Amino acid sequence: MEIEVLRPIFTQLLTPHGIAPVEAFPEEPRLLFKQTPGIEDRAKIRFILGRQVIFAAASDDEVNRLTKHWRAKLTPQLDNSSESFSEQDNEYLEDLASEAPVIRMVNHLLERAMDLNASDIHFEPEEESLKVRCRVDGVMILLERLSHKVTAAIASRLKLMARLDIGEKRLPQDGRIQYKLGHRTLDMRVSTLPGVHGESIVLRILDRSDVGVSLDHLGMPADVLKAYNAVIRQPFGMILVTGPTGSGKTTSLYGTLEKINTGTQKIITVEDPVEYQMQGVTQIHVNAKIGLSFAAGLRSIVRQDPDVILVGEIRDQETAEIAIESALTGHLVFSTLHTNDAASAVTRLQDMSIDSYLISSSMLAIMAQRLVRRVCQHCAEPLDLLEEEAQALGIERSLYPRIQRGKGCERCGHTGYRGRVGIYELLVLSDDIRHVITQGGDANVIRAQALKEGMRTLRQDALEKLRLGVTTPEEILRVTRAI
């Protein structure tokens, strides 16, 4: 049997059922499964393949390994010899984007990115190639390098899936793709940007199966989690989560809402965009084109009798003022800011012309966070901390006699890392810290007082995770060097 026969049915039939052919399938007709397929499914597979096959149980790891093997082996090939994929009229591009080779190639790239648990996929046109990269655990890796001739076809296919204007290549566009992969449904946020060599397209993957991330499993130290749980159960006040883009702020806030969403409170959010839909929560999508900004949405929210309000981000003075006023008038308000650490959030609000006494009166706590990659537990091995690493981290080498590193294996894509964990810095406002803020103390003074009261910094939390074998010196330096 020709291997090519597997191509059209692999993702449509085998992958959704958790089934994969053995590597020597043409000679040894065996299909391995994670869970026993039903009689009808087995009969359908045999009918389509046109031959008798043996079904055998296998581990999830083995089926996943074979799935990746066949995806790579059955990589679709576009006809790069023709100039037909260059810029053409809109009708032609739409027809081209609907052709099987282009569809197969795009699906293949999306599925490979899913295999790697990527959070973003980047289609980056260059002078002589189309570079496809994805972000895995916060780090960019190369997925594929295609001929530049297919750039227009791939871009048109993605824009068609996102219901964007194929003919508009001069202005940025935003859209959304819903993509089914087996039993999972993925929402992908799509952003296009015109460039010198073609349109750069970035897909942000929002996996609905990740919505239920529990606050208890994000990596907060036990004492930080206990203090944070106490703060989020206060009847009113403001809680800020700070950090750069991609530091897990949204995940922490969704986990927080899930924790307090017991059905006894009215919870409303205003977000840009609404990344995940939550049961029992009223969610508003910001739309600047029609004048629905964070400030406008927040102003309307307070008239809806909410108990808890989540503002996706405080970007300007007006939003900050309304959020603080809401916190002072009996609402529990959550929001985010882009600052390096917890204490700097106060300075940021002061820079927005918010009075210090309002900040000290309304603020309950500020939590700064980052994400570091976890050492892959399947290939981890104990090693000595090097002297130069200890010096770079500013620690005593004798306090960290052995650390964990991943050698690299199939499960972690030979990176030595698998997944990420949060590092946290929780500043709970005591009376003394409120006094410092009211007196106009800057971030350094606020931080000093918080450390005196027992606050652990981001770097200190990261070093504790190093001691426990969760992460590596390289990750700590990469993520916390600027702090």
Side-chain angles (χ1 to χ4, degrees):
M1 180 186 121
E2 292 292 327
I3 293 178
E4 192 66 22
V5 175
L6 284 174
R7 191 196 302 279
I9 67 164
F10 184 71
T11 55
Q12 297 173 29
L13 192 60
L14 301 181
T15 303
H17 287 81
I19 300 172
V22 295
E23 287 189 43
F25 184 74
E27 298 79 33
E28 186 186 354
R30 275 198 313 143
L31 296 174
L32 304 186
F33 58 77
K34 298 179 185 179
Q35 294 184 338
T36 310
I39 295 175
E40 289 184 8
D41 290 331
R42 281 180 282 172
K44 187 176 181 181
I45 290 170
R46 287 188 177 114
F47 174 77
I48 292 175
L49 290 175
R51 65 187 298 181
Q52 286 295 318
V53 292
I54 299 169
F55 290 86
S59 67
D60 286 4
D61 286 342
E62 178 63 9
V63 173
N64 289 339
R65 185 188 70 78
L66 288 169
T67 299
K68 291 178 183 178
H69 165 80
W70 284 104
R71 259 195 203 129
K73 199 174 185 69
L74 298 172
T75 301
Q77 298 298 316
L78 295 179
D79 179 12
N80 294 336
S81 62
S82 168
E83 294 295 328
S84 60
F85 290 125
S86 302
E87 298 294 325
Q88 300 282 347
D89 61 83
N90 298 343
E91 189 176 340
Y92 177 80
L93 282 175
E94 191 165 337
D95 290 341
L96 186 62
S98 303
E99 289 182 359
V102 177
I103 293 172
R104 281 201 300 265
M105 174 56 79
V106 170
N107 289 349
H108 167 76
L109 292 170
L110 296 180
E111 286 157 12
R112 278 192 60 193
M114 297 305 110
D115 284 342
L116 295 169
N117 291 319
S119 60
D120 303 82
I121 312 173
H122 294 241
F123 295 83
E124 302 168 327
E126 297 179 334
E127 188 172 0
E128 296 182 354
S129 67
L130 172 64
K131 186 165 65 176
V132 184
R133 298 195 295 169
C134 59
R135 190 178 296 279
V136 180
D137 294 334
V139 177
M140 295 289 285
I141 63 170
L142 181 65
L143 193 66
E144 197 88 52
R145 192 179 287 276
L146 306 172
S147 166
H148 184 68
K149 295 176 184 178
V150 306
T151 299
I154 297 290
S156 297
R157 175 62 191 164
L158 292 170
K159 289 163 77 173
L160 197 63
M161 292 172 72
R163 295 182 172 84
L164 299 178
D165 182 357
I166 288 181
E168 181 54 79
K169 304 177 183 68
R170 299 165 301 169
L171 295 173
Q173 296 187 69
D174 294 302
R176 209 165 185 125
I177 293 173
Q178 194 170 90
Y179 186 76
K180 284 192 72 70
L181 178 62
H183 301 296
R184 296 160 66 192
T185 299
L186 303 169
D187 279 327
M188 290 181 278
R189 212 164 66 218
V190 183
S191 170
T192 74
L193 191 68
V196 175
H197 302 297
E199 288 180 284
S200 170
I201 300 179
V202 176
L203 276 56
R204 179 74 186 273
I205 301 167
L206 309 170
D207 188 349
R208 288 183 180 177
S209 64
D210 286 342
V211 180
V213 175
S214 169
L215 203 59
D216 302 330
H217 299 125
L218 297 179
M220 288 188 197
D223 57 336
V224 172
L225 181 61
K226 182 180 179 181
Y228 186 68
N229 275 325
V231 168
I232 65 176
R233 284 178 168 79
Q234 296 299 311
F236 58 88
M238 177 180 281
I239 298 168
L240 290 178
V241 180
T242 77
T245 301
S247 60
K249 300 188 298 296
T250 300
T251 300
S252 293
L253 286 175
Y254 275 118
T256 301
L257 292 186
E258 185 182 61
K259 192 85 168 179
I260 64 177
N261 184 19
T262 59
T264 60
Q265 293 179 305
K266 172 83 168 183
I267 303 175
I268 306 180
T269 74
V270 53
E271 307 170 60
D272 182 21
V274 174
E275 296 198 356
Y276 301 111
Q277 296 177 18
M278 297 188 72
Q279 289 285 346
V281 177
T282 302
Q283 295 172 277
I284 300 169
H285 184 109
V286 167
N287 189 342
K289 293 179 182 177
I290 60 172
L292 183 55
S293 61
F294 277 117
L298 186 51
R299 199 179 293 110
S300 299
I301 280 176
V302 295
R303 294 196 287 269
Q304 289 279 311
D305 187 30
D307 298 294
V308 180
I309 299 170
L310 186 150
V311 187
E313 183 184 345
I314 293 179
R315 295 178 179 172
D316 52 45
Q317 180 184 350
E318 186 181 9
T319 306
E321 287 176 344
I322 302 171
I324 286 176
E325 183 182 338
S326 300
L328 290 171
T329 54
H331 305 92
L332 185 60
V333 180
F334 295 94
S335 193
T336 69
L337 273 179
H338 292 280
T339 62
N340 273 341
D341 60 11
S344 299
V346 175
T347 308
R348 180 86 172 86
L349 289 173
Q350 289 170 338
D351 289 342
M352 292 181 183
S353 301
I354 304 300
D355 291 331
S356 296
Y357 77 91
L358 290 175
I359 299 173
S360 65
S361 302
S362 61
M363 199 69 62
L364 294 173
I366 305 165
M367 184 168 71
Q369 68 176 78
R370 299 289 191 279
L371 293 174
V372 293
R373 289 186 289 175
R374 286 180 181 270
V375 173
C376 175
Q377 294 305 300
H378 298 285
C379 62
E381 58 179 356
L383 293 171
D384 293 330
L385 180 68
L386 301 177
E387 183 59 42
E388 55 264 34
E389 292 172 337
Q391 290 178 3
L393 291 169
I395 58 176
E396 187 63 46
R397 187 183 175 194
S398 60
L399 299 176
Y400 299 81
R402 301 286 271 177
I403 61 172
Q404 295 282 329
R405 290 186 192 276
K407 292 185 293 185
C409 64
E410 184 73 30
R411 296 195 188 191
C412 64
H414 301 284
T415 63
Y417 299 99
R418 185 176 172 86
R420 289 188 289 178
V421 65
I423 56 173
Y424 299 91
E425 175 180 298
L426 181 64
L427 191 162
V428 179
L429 272 74
S430 65
D431 289 340
D432 287 338
I433 292 176
R434 293 183 198 280
H435 179 71
V436 169
I437 294 172
T438 304
Q439 294 301 309
D442 63 14
N444 291 327
V445 180
I446 297 168
R447 187 184 303 109
Q449 179 61 36
L451 290 171
K452 184 179 174 182
E453 295 178 11
M455 181 185 80
R456 185 162 49 242
T457 65
L458 287 164
R459 174 63 72 88
Q460 288 170 336
D461 187 25
L463 290 174
E464 177 63 13
K465 287 179 168 66
L466 173 69
R467 189 185 67 79
L468 295 172
V470 176
T471 192
T472 64
E474 294 89 349
E475 273 299 285
I476 296 175
L477 290 170
R478 180 180 70 85
V479 172
T480 68
R481 192 183 297 274
I483 299 172

